[in-house]
Amino acid sequence: YAMLLSLIFLIVLVAAVVGFVFRHEIKTNFESNLNLALKDYNVTADQHSEAVDTIQRTLHCCGVQNYSDWERTEYFRQKGIPRSCCKSPDDCSEQDLKDPNKAKLKVFVDGCFFLVTSTMESKMSIVAGISFGIACFQLIGIVLACCLSRYITNNQYEMV
């Protein structure tokens, strides 16, 4: 049992170190995937499109760097900027969303990449604290399992 807990502890520790060391690559990968999701955005029940809409609605942002990122997409040529970018969904018409100058007043102008990464970084202290707490419990479990094993071997019980 102690060995199993030790293995789990080491896996979590390695994952934390790798995540910390490669955080810049993770950001770059996230940015390229967000750009790809914008490029392939459509209104059908596509998971990537739903994720983009959810991010834009939740964080009150639009595009990757800013709302003008949508101008380089096929979706913009057909329907304009998505409704998930609108500050007030009742105030956004399709004509406004097709015109970048009018859309600037109706949609969120900040990009999602910076907001997502800053939100993740602000929550990292909470995640680190919870992880540290779990690691402490695992270490206590490892020590207690080793103590129990030692106690059992020292008191050689007779097998019946």
Side-chain angles (χ1 to χ4, degrees), residues 8-97:
I8 292 170
F9 178 76
L10 288 174
I11 290 171
V12 170
L13 184 66
V14 167
V17 169
V18 167
F20 181 75
V21 169
F22 293 110
R23 67 185 181 279
H24 298 295
E25 286 81 1
I26 293 170
K27 280 184 181 181
T28 305
N29 194 14
F30 174 71
E31 185 177 17
S32 65
N33 284 331
L34 192 56
N35 276 318
L36 188 62
L38 255 64
K39 188 182 122 204
D40 296 337
Y41 182 86
N42 57 25
V43 185
T44 61
D46 181 33
Q47 291 177 342
H48 298 271
S49 300
E50 288 177 21
V52 169
D53 286 336
T54 302
I55 290 171
Q56 290 181 152
R57 269 191 227 103
T58 305
L59 296 178
H60 303 294
C61 59
C62 190
V64 178
Q65 300 301 329
N66 58 35
Y67 76 101
S68 63
D69 292 336
W70 282 104
E71 294 176 35
R72 297 185 297 273
T73 65
E74 186 63 35
Y75 182 82
F76 180 81
R77 289 183 200 94
Q78 296 172 2
K79 298 185 179 183
I81 296 172
R83 297 188 72 76
S84 60
C85 285
C86 292
K87 292 177 184 174
S88 172
D90 302 332
D91 192 28
C92 280
S93 69
E94 193 170 316
Q95 295 302 330
D96 291 339
L97 294 173

Side-chain angles (χ1 to χ4, degrees), residues 5 9 12 128-144:
L5 272 179
F9 178 76
V12 170
I130 292 170
S131 300
F132 181 72
I134 291 170
C136 287
F137 280 117
Q138 283 181 317
L139 288 175
I140 291 169
I142 292 168
V143 169
L144 290 176

